[in-house]
Amino acid sequence: MLKKRLVAVLILRQGQVVQSIRFKHTNVIHYDAVHAIEAFNKWAIDEIVMLNVTREESSREQFAEVVSSVSRHCFVPLTTGGWIGDEDYAKRLLRNGADKLVLNTAFSDNPDLVRTLSKRYGRQCIVASIDVKRTEEGDVRVAVDRGRKIIDADPVMWARKARDLGAGEIFFNSIDHDGARKGYDLETLAKICGAVDLPVIAFGGVFKWEHLAEGIGAGADAAAAANILHYTEQSTKKAKSFLANAGIPVRREGRHGA
Amino acid sequence: MTNPSVAIIDYGMGNIRSVLNAFEEVGAAGVLVDNPENLGSFEKAILPGVGAFKEAMENLDESGMTAALNTYVSKGNQLLGVCLGMQLICLDSEEDGFHEGLGYLNAHVVPLPREAGLKVPHMGWNAIEFRCEHAVFSDVESGSDVYFVHSYRVKCEDESDVLATSNYGVPFDSIVASGNVLGMQFHPEKSQGVGLQLLRNFISLK
């Protein structure tokens, strides 16, 4: 049976792992991302997502180097993104050991890039990051450019568009829920899961293990978290135990998983 | 035997770096081989691969790697096909038409079933159930989870070639072996402790 995945997210700003609260990044969690990976490797994380949220595009080189050093220690799928604006940089991240590419702004500003990368590396390699924000009128709309630009797009429509452009998976986050400790935006998450036939990774807002289970319950194939996994001792082990006790099929450590 | 070297066949398809990293982690020297002439000096080789079957076979044929692999395998050297690499060692594939493969394994590549509720590709962690005893299973438990990403599956004609099966809508062959040729449908290099142990075992195969 296919297991539900527990995904650790590393938010990187200028090469350091930082805490994210409503897309603002202040506290540094790890100065060296490799330390975070080494801990997760011991604790049966199912996948690592690394996002470069630095405001400056010039951070691309440094991020690619961090991907390279992290990949040497990462023996689960490694998904990377942030500032993927051209084919060469996408290739560089993959050559440096990334398994999948996360794209966000390209789905609005450069759809041809998404199509090209999907055709070249396969749909399974392309993850559509969809960030949403609730407007003052109460509508949920898609945000691009590291959450700075709200576009007039409905998340469900956007998810379908992402699939049509060649995405093989969706990484969902809500700016209102990010770091807000109240769990995922379950309403929007469930709508997206019901609308597209792609695996969906839920992210943004996990503060209790129950929140992970809620995301799976809303239809997600994978439950992702950042801060809580970094700050809790043996976090992934505890999270997995909780999910298993809640009747959710998860990968448990084998004899050699430890 | 110290620091045994393994040829990692580089033919422009897939994540070579992950495979290199994994071999380094288990104490073997992975050597990228893109020149077919260099394959002859190895006794162990891995054929990785992510992407389309047709393009992969074209790359192998045009570079002369197909001929080099035929010689390599006929001499009794060990070959491990991973993911697309496992499909390439089969007779043929129905992916995007009908295409002949390397033909080291009496098996065909067919699509995963499209059923309600089953997303394709089959992506994520799923269990391998052992169908026999084999040295490649040393220190690995039947039922362990490994990481899959694929839309097509291998169907062996000879049941004796099936070492392990997995289940996604239908049971499918996830580890196969025919003589000196092995195949793994999942990514051992991305399957954490279990995957690394399988690679360790491949290195140690006599």
Side-chain angles (χ1 to χ4, degrees):
Chain A
M1 179 195 273
L2 187 63
K3 308 301 184 293
K4 299 296 180 184
R5 285 171 281 158
L6 178 67
V7 177
V9 180
L10 272 58
I11 307 284
L12 274 93
R13 193 192 56 195
Q14 286 157 354
Q16 299 176 337
V17 181
V18 294
Q19 190 171 3
S20 181
I21 298 173
R22 294 191 176 90
F23 282 40
K24 301 277 189 292
H25 313 106
T26 47
N27 294 344
V28 173
I29 302 176
H30 288 283
Y31 289 98
D32 184 349
V34 171
H35 294 159
I37 297 292
E38 283 173 343
F40 288 134
N41 258 338
K42 286 185 206 137
W43 296 340
I45 198 73
D46 294 323
E47 189 160 336
I48 306 276
V49 174
M50 275 176 65
L51 301 176
N52 177 14
V53 300
T54 317
R55 289 280 168 99
E56 295 78 28
E57 190 173 358
S58 56
S59 62
R60 300 206 312 174
E61 293 302 306
Q62 182 186 37
F63 181 73
E65 289 309 310
V66 177
V67 169
S68 180
S69 40
V70 161
S71 80
R72 300 176 78 92
H73 306 273
C74 180
F75 301 105
V76 297
L78 178 62
T79 301
T80 65
W83 292 109
I84 301 177
D86 57 74
E87 294 167 36
D88 282 347
Y89 190 63
K91 184 177 176 180
R92 174 132 187 244
L93 291 180
L94 293 172
R95 282 262 159 194
N96 283 10
D99 299 290
K100 303 183 203 175
L101 303 168
V102 190
L103 294 105
N104 174 305
T105 313
F107 280 89
S108 94
D109 294 3
N110 195 354
D112 279 344
L113 176 66
V114 178
R115 283 193 202 96
T116 304
L117 295 176
S118 179
K119 197 162 186 298
R120 181 171 304 155
Y121 300 113
R123 181 176 283 275
Q124 85 292 332
C125 186
I126 308 299
V127 182
S129 149
I130 300 182
D131 297 326
V132 303
K133 186 162 177 49
R134 197 172 284 276
T135 64
E136 285 176 12
E137 293 78 37
D139 300 322
V140 177
R141 287 289 172 264
V142 173
V144 297
D145 190 15
R146 285 147 287 279
R148 284 190 289 183
K149 189 172 148 198
I150 312 292
I151 58 172
D152 189 25
D154 169 70
V156 166
M157 183 279 285
W158 200 249
R160 291 198 179 112
K161 179 182 162 174
R163 176 199 58 199
D164 294 345
L165 285 174
E169 193 166 15
I170 287 170
F171 181 80
F172 170 77
N173 193 5
S174 159
I175 296 169
D176 309 303
H177 287 248
D178 183 61
R181 303 182 165 190
K182 56 185 177 184
Y184 303 121
D185 175 351
L186 294 173
E187 193 185 326
T188 312
L189 175 65
K191 281 184 191 164
I192 289 178
C193 293
V196 290
D197 192 20
L198 295 178
V200 176
I201 303 172
F203 183 52
V206 172
F207 188 61
K208 298 186 287 188
W209 305 134
E210 288 96 309
H211 291 150
L212 300 169
E214 287 171 5
I216 301 296
D221 297 84
N227 307 339
I228 186 175
L229 294 180
H230 295 297
Y231 284 129
T232 311
E233 248 334 90
Q234 301 207 329
S235 57
T236 56
K237 201 179 242 174
K238 288 173 184 165
K240 286 274 182 85
S241 293
F242 181 89
L243 293 170
N245 288 336
I248 294 169
V250 289
R251 176 175 73 107
R252 305 306 295 269
E253 291 166 292
R255 276 164 64 190
H256 295 271
Chain B
M1 192 162 58
T2 53
N3 203 20
S5 58
V6 181
I8 299 171
I9 297 167
D10 183 3
Y11 59 109
M13 304 288 287
N15 202 339
I16 304 289
R17 177 67 181 271
S18 295
V19 179
L20 265 178
N21 287 339
F23 276 116
E24 188 181 309
E25 182 72 11
V26 301
V31 181
L32 290 187
V33 173
D34 58 1
N35 182 347
E37 288 176 17
N38 297 339
L39 188 58
S41 58
F42 292 88
E43 292 178 352
K44 287 185 193 285
I46 182 161
L47 183 63
V50 174
F53 188 97
K54 176 171 176 271
E55 192 188 346
M57 278 310 298
E58 283 170 1
N59 286 1
L60 290 172
D61 288 345
E62 283 164 18
S63 64
M65 195 61 85
T66 300
L69 276 167
N70 290 343
T71 307
Y72 172 88
V73 168
S74 68
K75 286 183 174 168
N77 298 305
Q78 284 167 341
L79 177 69
L80 170 62
V82 165
C83 196
L84 178 63
M86 158 157 163
Q87 301 187 354
L88 293 170
I89 63 174
C90 297
L91 296 170
D92 47 56
S93 170
E94 293 177 18
E95 182 185 336
D96 192 22
F98 183 86
H99 307 283
E100 283 189 10
L102 294 166
Y104 307 145
L105 185 75
N106 187 10
H108 307 279
V109 182
V110 298
L112 282 169
R114 292 251 172 200
E115 286 172 23
L118 282 187
K119 296 169 183 177
V120 174
H122 169 220
M123 178 162 65
W125 296 82
N126 206 336
I128 42 173
E129 306 288 346
F130 301 167
R131 294 296 161 213
C132 59
E133 288 182 14
H134 195 281
V136 83
F137 294 146
S138 176
D139 284 332
V140 178
E141 284 179 357
S142 184
S144 296
D145 286 317
V146 292
Y147 184 76
F148 289 89
V149 185
H150 61 124
S151 301
Y152 289 78
R153 69 186 174 100
V154 167
K155 212 175 145 205
C156 285
E157 289 289 333
D158 301 329
E159 207 157 306
S160 58
D161 290 342
V162 179
L163 302 193
T165 58
S166 300
N167 202 309
Y168 190 63
V170 292
F172 66 90
D173 303 336
S174 48
I175 304 181
V176 295
S178 177
N180 51 324
V181 177
L182 270 93
M184 297 182 188
Q185 182 59 71
F186 50 91
H187 288 276
E189 77 279 13
K190 285 284 155 184
S191 297
Q192 230 180 13
V194 169
L196 294 176
Q197 184 61 32
L198 289 168
L199 290 179
R200 224 174 257 127
N201 293 341
F202 172 70
I203 300 294
S204 311
L205 282 184
K206 296 284 183 287

